[in-house]
Amino acid sequence: MRWACILFPQLALDGVLRHREQSEVPLALISGTPQRRVVHALNPAARALGLKSGMSLTAAQALSTAFETAEYDLGAIERWQAFLAAWAYGFSSQVSLHYPRALVLEVESSLGLFGPWPRFEARLRDELAALGFRHRITLAPNPVAARILANAHDGLAISSQSELHERLGRMPVERLGLPRDVATAFSRMGLRSFRQVLGLPRDTLARRFPAELLRHLDTLLGRRGIALQCYLPPDEFDARIELNFDVESNQALLFPVRRLIADLAAFLAGRDCGVQRFSLLLEHRSLPDTQMPVGLLGIEREADVLFELTRGRLEQLEVPAPVLAVRLVARDLPEFLPERRELFDERPQQNLSWERLRERLRSRLGDEAVSDIKARADHRPESAWQAGEFRGSTEALPSAQCRPGWLLRAPEPFTEGDMRILAGPERIESGWWDHNDQCRHYFWVETQSGRRAWVYRPLKEGGPLLLQGWLS
Amino acid sequence: MGSVIALDTLFDQRRVWKGNAVRQTRGAHSTGLEALDAILPTGGWPESALSEVLLHAEGSGELHLLWPTLARLTKQAERIVLVAPPHVPFPHAWLSAGVDLRWMTLIEASSKDALWAAEQCLRSGSCGAVLCWPANADDRALRRLQVAAETGQTLGFAFRPLREAVNPSPAALRLCLETRPSRVSVLKCRGGIAPDTAIPLMASH
């Protein structure tokens, strides 16, 4: 087994920065009690202002006021770590959150799918860069070694046990993940590197140091196994972005929505499922949240497609008040079946499948705008058709008589005086059972202009001729 | 007098252009009316292009003209889309004309959105034919539809009022429907001079 460790050196900062459009603005994460606020993490632009982490907020503001602040939120860090684990679950079934701000995943069994390690690693880096997280990746024969090597290396891949010994031997004692007092004791004893520690007799180490030390060294070298708890992805997706100002235009919402949908797509790819309906909640200060449900006909999981469909609906949404936060909830995650396409398509230029086209039309024109039409076995013209979604179901129809190709949505008074009767009357009397009783005499007439009209005279109500349709 | 050259050889070499261009090939999209196919230079509907049908009012025989084509397309499992039709297509009549309704889709849209939807459908290349009723479309809108039909290699049909006959149009084929007697004439066809014969459409009673 080979384990990869992905370490996120500034998870909290990246989590805040990826929600902002300009990442070059100086930003400081603040923690501590309200009485003593301390700068916890900084981006390079803030560091260039002379700020240092550990500085109190008042001291930092004395240096400069041209930086933005955000809360250093431990809960957010956990959420981001869980999100990244869901992403990594797409690459390996054994992902562990054992170490804070890092992921450990078993990759040897995935190499068959994702190619040799250099290509696999490049893909991981590309996707993490697209998601907006800085990272260090190392590969080692056991998870503990991978995590410890990530303390000092990036891009290191170790395949054999002897190479692992060699590399670990050169690691300084402070970077071995040992308890602080043990590490200090070693350095005071004059032991600087791991190789020197390994040179000591085991029984003296056991006598002088707590038992965890030997256990840690053994797992590090792979002499002893470690039981890691594997990550299980949740069954639903729920993410929220708090905006740092009140947003009043739909255009300004597009950036956070795009981020949320990219996260949703990464989550779906990790679980190998798709989404058919999800809702976007826009939170306001005093009003209840605006809900925008997005329902698709098919199951999708590509970020671009989902974003385009959401955008079409978002642009038509009327928001009653400024938006403070955006939340995306997807509870129903059905299995994703990729669309089957012919290898030799008859129409090579076909750049948009019918399903995609239908979604695009629906997102702009409304869910009901695109429909199929179906004939129903009924003699009354108004009840003889039905629009909606059908999947190829048909009814047995009454014997074919001459019927018009165009049916008016509602009958209109037939005003043309000069006409010639071609056929009729045909009596249609039906519907006593559903309170829509009809008794009509239908005629085919030719108008003065030469068009053929289907008109009727209601027998019970009486009155003028009514136009119902045109022949063709 | 120079040497005598037979006219036939000149015609066969296509070195003499005849005003009434002879039909070269049988078109891929027959109109279903043999007489109409015979006078069109493309031998049928122009492929991947917009065809315009000018009519006095709905019900002037435009469905009669198109049903054979639509029936053929739906039998080949090609999708046909009606963008904002003026009335409800009555399924019984369409079925008896041979149109497979499983492959027919209606789109309800306002007149502005209808042009957008028609363009999207034409451009996507996933439809066999797109029928639209642009009410007061200008030259630019029609040109967009024509370009979209070319891009998506789709048959596009635009039904417009008869009064537009005097205005130029970018459509590859313009047909004019008359009702008394019921016949169809060609106003413009790309690739040849419009023939001045009218083809009878529906048998009169």
Side-chain angles (χ1 to χ4, degrees):
Chain A
M1 295 221 279
R2 300 173 76 187
W3 292 81
C5 174
I6 307 175
L7 182 73
F8 303 100
Q10 23 173 306
L11 188 58
L13 199 60
D14 285 339
V16 176
L17 277 178
R18 68 196 298 272
H19 289 164
R20 307 189 171 209
E21 277 180 77
Q22 300 105 2
S23 53
E24 291 81 30
V25 177
L27 175 75
L29 296 189
I30 311 295
S31 65
T33 56
Q35 286 79 27
R36 184 175 159 70
R37 309 285 280 154
V38 177
V39 173
H40 200 105
L42 297 159
N43 69 348
R47 216 167 285 134
L49 290 177
L51 308 187
K52 291 193 179 64
S53 64
M55 206 178 237
S56 72
L57 181 59
T58 41
Q61 277 165 341
L63 277 174
S64 166
T65 50
F67 63 94
E68 293 183 9
T69 58
E71 186 67 33
Y72 179 79
D73 184 0
L74 282 172
I77 295 177
E78 265 171 43
R79 274 202 303 282
W80 288 122
Q81 204 190 358
F83 164 71
L84 287 162
W87 162 79
Y89 194 72
F91 296 101
S92 167
S93 57
Q94 295 188 50
V95 177
S96 176
L97 299 172
H98 184 76
Y99 297 103
R101 290 189 291 281
L103 294 176
V104 182
L105 56 153
E106 202 281 312
V107 290
E108 182 151 34
S109 43
S110 311
L111 287 179
L113 273 174
F114 298 102
W117 174 246
R119 199 189 304 161
F120 190 4
E121 185 189 356
R123 178 163 172 184
L124 291 175
R125 285 185 192 275
D126 281 351
E127 293 201 9
L128 280 173
L131 289 171
F133 287 99
R134 251 156 288 184
H135 51 273
R136 293 210 290 267
I137 302 183
T138 49
L139 183 76
N142 71 72
V144 188
R147 172 67 187 86
I148 297 303
L149 285 170
N151 281 340
H153 299 279
D154 185 17
L156 185 68
I158 290 177
S159 50
S160 70
Q161 203 66 31
S162 57
E163 199 186 344
L164 178 68
H165 274 257
E166 160 70 23
R167 280 289 183 171
L168 281 177
R170 277 192 255 149
M171 292 277 289
V173 172
E174 299 82 35
R175 296 269 178 109
L176 285 177
L178 297 171
R180 185 175 292 261
D181 52 337
V182 176
T184 328
F186 275 139
S187 60
R188 285 188 184 154
M189 287 159 73
L191 302 167
R192 305 245 174 267
S193 71
F194 186 47
R195 189 179 294 117
Q196 291 169 312
V197 176
L198 283 180
L200 297 177
R202 280 180 73 88
D203 55 336
T204 56
L205 276 180
R207 200 156 359 111
R208 285 167 193 254
F209 291 100
E212 289 82 48
L213 174 66
L214 274 180
R215 208 176 298 150
H216 182 71
L217 296 184
D218 285 350
T219 48
L220 190 53
L221 291 170
R223 289 183 194 140
R224 187 191 174 109
I226 177 171
L228 291 177
Q229 199 164 12
C230 281
Y231 165 80
L232 279 179
D235 284 334
E236 56 188 47
F237 180 85
D238 187 342
R240 181 169 175 274
I241 292 183
E242 203 165 307
L243 307 167
N244 46 352
F245 46 90
D246 290 7
V247 172
E248 295 186 16
S249 85
N250 289 3
Q251 287 300 318
L253 284 175
L254 288 179
F255 179 78
V257 168
R258 187 194 286 273
R259 265 286 185 221
L260 279 176
I261 285 181
D263 289 358
L264 173 67
F267 175 83
L268 294 173
R271 275 190 57 108
D272 193 25
C273 55
V275 67
Q276 191 158 19
R277 53 189 66 253
F278 55 92
S279 45
L280 205 63
L281 288 103
L282 308 177
E283 295 175 14
H284 308 297
R285 197 176 296 279
S286 53
L287 295 171
D289 300 353
T290 307
Q291 279 217 17
M292 194 188 79
V294 180
L296 313 177
L297 293 172
I299 298 168
E300 282 292 347
R301 79 165 177 217
E302 270 177 53
D304 291 348
V305 178
L306 290 173
F307 177 67
E308 197 199 310
L309 301 175
T310 313
R311 178 187 178 154
R313 286 174 163 81
L314 191 65
E315 277 168 355
Q316 310 208 328
L317 190 72
E318 278 183 27
V319 181
V323 180
L324 295 179
V326 189
R327 190 171 154 212
L328 197 156
V329 183
R331 298 203 190 286
D332 184 24
L333 306 175
E335 208 170 308
F336 179 73
L337 289 174
E339 187 188 343
R340 258 188 317 178
R341 299 194 81 159
E342 302 281 331
L343 181 57
F344 301 104
D345 215 327
E346 284 182 19
R347 217 188 280 270
Q349 278 82 359
Q350 178 160 340
N351 45 16
L352 192 66
S353 71
W354 168 247
E355 283 70 27
R356 295 266 162 87
L357 172 66
R358 189 171 52 175
E359 294 293 2
R360 182 182 285 180
L361 294 169
R362 270 163 45 99
S363 74
R364 166 142 169 193
L365 305 176
D367 288 352
E368 307 301 319
V370 184
S371 61
D372 300 342
I373 194 160
K374 184 172 98 159
R376 296 190 56 213
D378 200 309
H379 289 284
R380 290 165 295 169
E382 283 91 348
S383 325
W385 62 276
Q386 193 183 358
E389 274 290 315
F390 313 110
R391 308 226 178 255
S393 64
T394 46
E395 282 181 37
L397 300 176
S399 63
Q401 264 138 344
C402 190
R403 286 286 176 266
W406 288 130
L407 191 75
L408 267 59
R409 280 166 221 275
E412 290 169 7
F414 187 64
T415 48
E416 291 196 44
D418 194 8
M419 60 175 184
R420 189 161 67 93
I421 293 183
L422 301 174
E426 178 194 350
R427 185 172 177 130
I428 295 182
E429 181 168 6
S430 181
W432 51 267
W433 57 86
D434 60 3
H435 306 290
N436 198 6
D437 198 0
Q438 283 182 1
C439 180
R440 297 170 176 177
H441 271 172
Y442 276 90
F443 298 90
W444 278 107
V445 300
E446 191 178 53
T447 64
Q448 197 178 9
S449 60
R451 298 194 288 161
R452 286 180 206 164
W454 204 44
V455 298
Y456 70 87
R457 188 183 297 285
L459 285 185
K460 281 186 188 149
E461 301 90 353
L465 280 176
L466 289 163
L467 174 67
Q468 181 105 57
W470 296 103
L471 176 62
S472 63
Chain B
M1 283 285 283
S3 59
V4 180
I5 301 172
L7 265 182
D8 284 350
T9 46
L10 273 181
F11 284 142
D12 286 348
Q13 287 169 350
R14 305 267 157 91
R15 289 172 67 184
V16 172
W17 182 77
K18 282 166 80 179
N20 257 339
V22 274
R23 221 181 90 199
Q24 293 96 0
T25 47
R26 192 176 159 72
H29 291 289
S30 158
T31 58
L33 280 173
E34 275 186 27
L36 185 58
D37 284 353
I39 59 168
L40 290 178
T42 42
W45 299 115
E47 276 180 70
S48 354
L50 185 72
S51 304
E52 202 178 322
V53 180
L54 300 168
L55 37 94
H56 169 64
E58 285 81 41
S60 307
E62 74 274 17
L63 295 181
H64 208 83
L65 180 68
L66 276 173
W67 269 338
T69 313
L70 301 184
R72 184 171 51 78
L73 288 173
T74 51
K75 288 217 178 74
Q76 293 165 359
E78 295 255 24
R79 184 163 295 279
I80 56 173
V81 181
L82 276 62
V83 183
H87 307 295
V88 180
F90 195 52
H92 296 253
W94 289 64
L95 279 173
S96 53
V99 181
D100 188 344
L101 292 183
R102 286 174 299 173
W103 294 98
M104 189 170 98
T105 303
L106 307 184
I107 297 176
E108 294 296 327
S110 66
S111 63
K112 199 177 148 210
D113 280 340
L115 278 174
W116 172 82
E119 192 193 340
Q120 291 291 323
C121 294
L122 283 170
R123 195 179 289 280
S124 77
S126 56
C127 310
V130 178
L131 283 64
C132 59
W133 285 260
N136 11 357
D138 54 357
D139 186 60
R140 243 180 87 227
L142 285 174
R143 196 170 295 280
R144 285 190 73 118
L145 292 182
Q146 161 68 25
V147 170
E150 267 172 41
T151 318
Q153 299 192 331
T154 309
L155 289 181
F157 295 99
F159 299 94
R160 302 177 72 205
L162 205 50
R163 60 168 188 278
E164 302 283 349
V166 290
N167 299 327
S169 153
L173 173 69
R174 302 185 84 192
L175 297 178
C176 182
L177 285 180
E178 293 164 46
T179 44
R180 183 150 261 195
S182 172
R183 56 185 190 171
V184 54
S185 54
V186 183
L187 277 187
K188 167 192 173 185
C189 51
R190 203 155 60 183
I193 288 183
D196 50 4
T197 45
I199 310 292
L201 188 60
M202 281 190 286
S204 60
H205 280 257

